[in-house]
Structure formats: C-alpha cells, structure tokens
Amino acid sequence: MNKSEWIDAFESIQGRKPTPQEFQEAMERQEFVDEVDTHCPKCKMDNPTGSPFCPNCGTKMDGSVNRVLDSAAGITGSIADKINAFTGGDGQVELKMRDLFSQAFKSHTRSEAESIFACGSATTTPLPEDISKEWPKPWYFVRVFGVLALTTIALYIMNVNFNNYNAFPGLIFVSSLAGAIPVLFFYFECNSPRNIDIMSVIEIFFLGGVLSLLLTLVIGTIFPGGTGELIPSMITGLVEEVGKVLATAYFIQKFKDKRYILNGLLIGGAVGAGFAVFETAGYIFQSALIPFNYEGIKTFLFNPNLSSPLSTAIIRGMLAFGGHVAWAAVTGAGLMMALKNQKVFSWNAIWSGESFRFLILVIVLHGLWDMDFVSLPVDNQGNLIATAEQISQAGMIRYIQYGSLAILVWIIILVIINRGLKEINAITKESNTLRINERGQ
C-alpha cells in the first residue's frame, strides 16, 4: 500500500484525515510505502542508492540549492530584461553564465592557448557565416590573473623581505595590471568575430589609456568634480566616462572594418583597462609618499613601509573588474549599436540611441561608485573623530556598495554579450540568404 492509498483507507474508516502523529506512527509501522522520487531535480538521472547528492552531477537531491540558484537567476534575468529594454533592446535576455565560465578552471593545452591568439588576420578571421553563435567559454583570462598575481607576490617579497626598493616600481606597475588585464583578456576571448588581433588590443590599451586620461584632464579643467557628495561624484563620472568614450570612438573610427557589438566591448574595454592601470599605478605611488614641509616648502618623502601601497594595490586590483575596464567596455559596445545602421562613422553617434543610453548608465554607476553613502564625523578642523566601530561599519557599507555596483555593471555586460550574439545570428542568416540567392541566379 502506498501513501495515497493508506490515507484513503484511513479516511473511509475514521471519517477524518489523519493527524501528523498518526501519519508518522503508521509510517514507522511500515503500514504504507512512502513514494519518493529518486530522480535528480537537475539532470533527471535516477539515484536508487538514496544518496543525498546526485551521483552524476552532484546536485542535492532535495533541490534546495537549485531553488536558491533559480531564484537568483530569476532576479538577475529580470534586471537584465529591464536594462535591455531601457537601452533599446527587444525580447527576453538569455543569460548563460554557467556556459560562460564552464572552461575557466579546467585543464587546457598549449595549442588551445595558441589558437586563442590566432585571429585578426585575413587568413584567421572567420567569414560572417562561420562565426560562432554560441555563448563564449573564455578561460585564458584566469591564467593571466594567476601569472600577474604570482609576479606581484614575488615583487612584494623582494621589497619587504630583502629590502630591495629597486623592485618597488615593478610592484607598482604589475599590481596595477593584476586587476584590469585579466578582464581585458576576458573581452578578447569573448570577441566571437575574432577580427581583432592581440597587437591591436595592446595598441589600444596603451595609447587609448593615455588618450582617455588626457581628455579627462582637459574636460576636468572645465567641469571640476570630486568624490563623496552626490553632485561632485556625478560630475567626476561624467568627465571620466566622456573622456573614455571619446578615446574609444577614435579607435572605432580608425578600425573601419570592426563594426560588431562585441568589437565595441573589446575596444572600449582596452581603453578602460589602460585608464585603470595608469590611474591605479598613480594611486599606489601616492600612497607610498609622506608629505613633508622643509623651510616652508611642501615636498614628499618616500615611506619604505609598504603596508599602505600594498593595501591600495589589493583593494583597487580586487575592484578593478567592476570599474573603468567595465564601464568603458559598456560605452564602447553601446557606440557600436548606434553605428550599426551607419556605413560611415559619425561622432554624433556617441550622443544618440543606444550609445547615449549606455553612457548615461555608466555615468550614474561611476557617480554612485565615488559617493560616500555614510559620512564619518569630523571636528572643526576637518580631522576625523569617528570611533573604530563607526569606521568599520562605514567600510563594510563601502564594500557592499562596490559589490552591488560591480554586479550591476556585469549584468549589463552580459546583456551586451547576449545582444552581440543575436547580432551575429542575424548577420549569419542574412549572409546565408545572399549566398542562396546568388546560387539561384
């Protein structure tokens, strides 16, 4: 007798439903067999052994983890759909994050790594109909991060354990690279058209980074911004994002045959990575200096204690993925969307359509990033008088602020990747139609 049959029999005899205690006692006396679904809630494979985890995919049999993941995916998908609609997209956004990172931590051969960089030439760029329409599966960016992280640790040991300050400039530069460069390689691997070579990316990284900083300084003299308060923070976001999108636009108009959305993501990301690395190197250097007044002249002394520069490098490196290298990639892709119906490049495209909408988004995100959501108390001279607990709470809120904004900008990037793949699908269908028509003629 199964559970349903036992309940029916109980109700017909007793004229009522069984209490939980009666039900439990009957089950302990084995008056009925409880029907349990032994199939995995994820992969549907049978699990007759009764193991709490699926022997095939490792999912919990009670589905508790799946429910949490499904809930998170639902929230993310809802946000993505709203962002997509705001920026001019249509239809539902399909986010395949599991596919996107499925190869990141698997073993790969040297030949696989070499094939990643075999692109961008006339012989290695695929035809439109041959471009992969699947979600990209980047993995090399993880190795890049590992190399830069190990190099940073080695340079730190040389500085601290051996007091070799000749290694300090190297520590500044390499630690600045450790956060932004892996993200840039991520964009490079996600560039499904494979029509931009690595040397072009390096060119954009250096020249685009310097150009965007120069433009930011020029625009900043006209519209001086700041951090902390709402208005100065938003002005800073406006100045820096306009500087980067102008630099990105220069390289987009230079590479006249690179007009895919994913090309814009890569070009903008390269500009943003250059901006982030040079800016971070400056902040690390400044944190190693101590202001000093000598006969009324303000100067700076080098502080051999590297705790402050190292903490600056770690914090900015960890947060780089959600900052300049992400914001500039978004505006670069937005500009490509605005240019899709224009055969000739137009600078006016920056301020129109999807480009302008994505630009507004990143300016707001940048401004919120620079804002202080919690103000710490100071005395009349401006000296901080906050308690250790207040400082700790403010720091926690700051990291929540950074984390939330980073997650949001990466949802935007996933939306862009989705639209980039839709664009490739549309181009492939158009190309196939033209080929069929040519054969028919």
Side-chain angles (χ1 to χ4, degrees):
M1 181 183 297
N2 60 33
K3 181 173 66 175
S4 299
E5 292 171 342
W6 181 87
I7 292 175
D8 290 340
F10 184 93
E11 290 179 349
S12 64
I13 296 172
Q14 303 293 336
R16 60 179 176 82
K17 292 183 179 295
T19 65
Q21 183 178 355
E22 290 170 334
F23 183 86
Q24 182 66 28
E25 290 173 351
M27 187 169 61
E28 290 174 356
R29 291 194 298 267
Q30 297 184 349
E31 294 182 6
F32 63 87
V33 177
D34 192 10
E35 297 171 325
V36 179
D37 186 4
T38 60
H39 291 85
C40 173
K42 178 184 173 185
C43 68
K44 307 305 179 184
M45 181 177 179
D46 191 25
N47 180 18
T49 62
S51 170
F53 296 94
C54 174
N56 181 49
C57 67
T59 300
K60 289 192 72 173
M61 292 296 294
D62 63 5
S64 58
V65 176
N66 290 336
R67 286 192 291 271
V68 174
L69 292 177
D70 290 343
S71 177
I75 294 171
T76 303
S78 176
I79 296 172
D81 288 339
K82 287 180 172 60
I83 292 171
N84 188 48
F86 172 76
T87 53
D90 53 12
Q92 191 173 18
V93 178
E94 185 180 13
L95 302 180
K96 294 187 177 181
M97 290 179 283
R98 186 172 297 175
D99 287 352
L100 192 63
F101 298 102
S102 61
Q103 298 295 315
F105 301 101
K106 292 184 178 180
S107 177
H108 295 274
T109 64
R110 172 59 63 178
S111 61
E112 287 180 286
E114 291 171 353
S115 67
I116 293 174
F117 300 97
C119 63
S121 69
T123 57
T124 57
T125 299
L127 295 172
E129 59 268 24
D130 296 328
I131 297 174
S132 173
K133 294 168 281 295
E134 302 295 325
W135 271 75
K137 297 178 175 62
W139 59 270
Y140 195 81
F141 72 100
V142 177
R143 277 64 171 176
V144 173
F145 173 76
V147 169
L148 292 173
L150 287 174
T151 306
T152 300
I153 293 170
L155 289 167
Y156 174 77
I157 292 173
M158 291 167 64
N159 273 270
V160 175
N161 293 70
F162 294 93
N163 295 319
N164 187 338
Y165 299 119
N166 289 332
F168 185 65
L171 177 63
I172 291 176
F173 189 64
V174 177
S175 61
S176 302
L177 294 171
I181 293 301
V183 180
L184 178 56
F185 272 84
F186 174 87
Y187 297 148
F188 183 76
E189 293 183 81
C190 287
N191 184 40
S192 297
R194 295 180 58 77
N195 59 342
I196 301 178
D197 62 279
I198 190 64
M199 289 308 298
S200 296
V201 174
I202 294 173
E203 174 190 345
I204 299 169
F205 167 75
F206 281 105
L207 298 182
V210 171
L211 178 60
S212 60
L213 282 168
L214 181 60
L215 289 169
T216 295
L217 291 173
V218 172
I219 300 172
T221 59
I222 304 172
F223 303 101
T227 59
E229 298 295 329
L230 174 61
I231 301 301
S233 297
M234 289 298 169
I235 292 176
T236 297
L238 171 67
V239 169
E240 294 189 359
E241 296 312 317
V242 168
K244 282 181 290 185
V245 78
L246 289 174
T248 300
Y250 166 77
F251 286 99
I252 288 177
Q253 64 85 28
K254 180 181 177 181
F255 296 108
K256 296 180 175 59
D257 58 336
K258 321 297 184 188
R259 286 294 180 268
Y260 290 97
I261 292 173
L262 295 178
N263 292 165
L265 188 76
L266 176 56
I267 294 171
V271 171
F275 188 104
V277 167
F278 296 137
E279 184 186 58
T280 298
Y283 280 120
I284 296 172
F285 177 70
Q286 286 186 45
S287 65
L289 301 178
I290 302 174
F292 178 75
N293 286 315
Y294 178 72
E295 295 183 352
I297 300 175
K298 185 179 180 180
T299 185
F300 294 92
L301 298 177
F302 175 70
N303 181 7
N305 183 354
L306 297 182
S307 59
S308 180
L310 183 64
S311 62
T312 301
I314 291 174
I315 292 172
R316 293 189 67 86
M318 289 173 58
L319 298 173
F321 77 98
H324 295 294
V325 69
W327 299 328
V330 169
T331 53
L335 180 54
M336 283 298 193
M337 294 177 196
L339 289 169
K340 64 184 176 184
N341 296 321
Q342 300 182 18
K343 294 182 179 180
V344 180
F345 177 85
S346 170
W347 288 92
N348 291 330
I350 298 174
W351 323 111
S352 63
E354 293 96 330
S355 178
F356 185 67
R357 292 172 184 174
F358 277 114
L359 180 59
I360 293 296
L361 268 180
V362 297
I363 287 173
V364 172
L365 290 174
H366 191 155
L368 293 174
W369 186 282
D370 288 344
M371 277 182 60
D372 290 334
F373 283 79
V374 176
S375 298
L376 294 173
V378 294
D379 59 21
N380 294 331
Q381 284 73 41
N383 298 315
L384 187 66
I385 56 173
T387 64
E389 183 179 357
Q390 288 175 319
I391 295 174
S392 176
Q393 290 176 350
M396 183 63 67
I397 292 173
R398 171 72 72 174
Y399 286 122
I400 293 173
Q401 170 189 346
Y402 289 153
S404 301
L405 293 171
I407 290 171
L408 185 55
V409 76
W410 272 92
I411 292 176
I412 296 173
I413 289 172
L414 292 175
V415 168
I416 288 170
I417 293 175
N418 180 76
R419 285 170 71 167
L421 294 174
K422 284 184 177 180
E423 177 193 45
I424 291 171
N425 269 300
I427 291 173
T428 300
K429 290 179 181 178
E430 182 180 350
S431 178
N432 289 334
T433 301
L434 289 173
R435 289 173 64 185
I436 292 171
N437 292 337
E438 288 173 358
R439 289 174 183 173
Q441 294 174 356

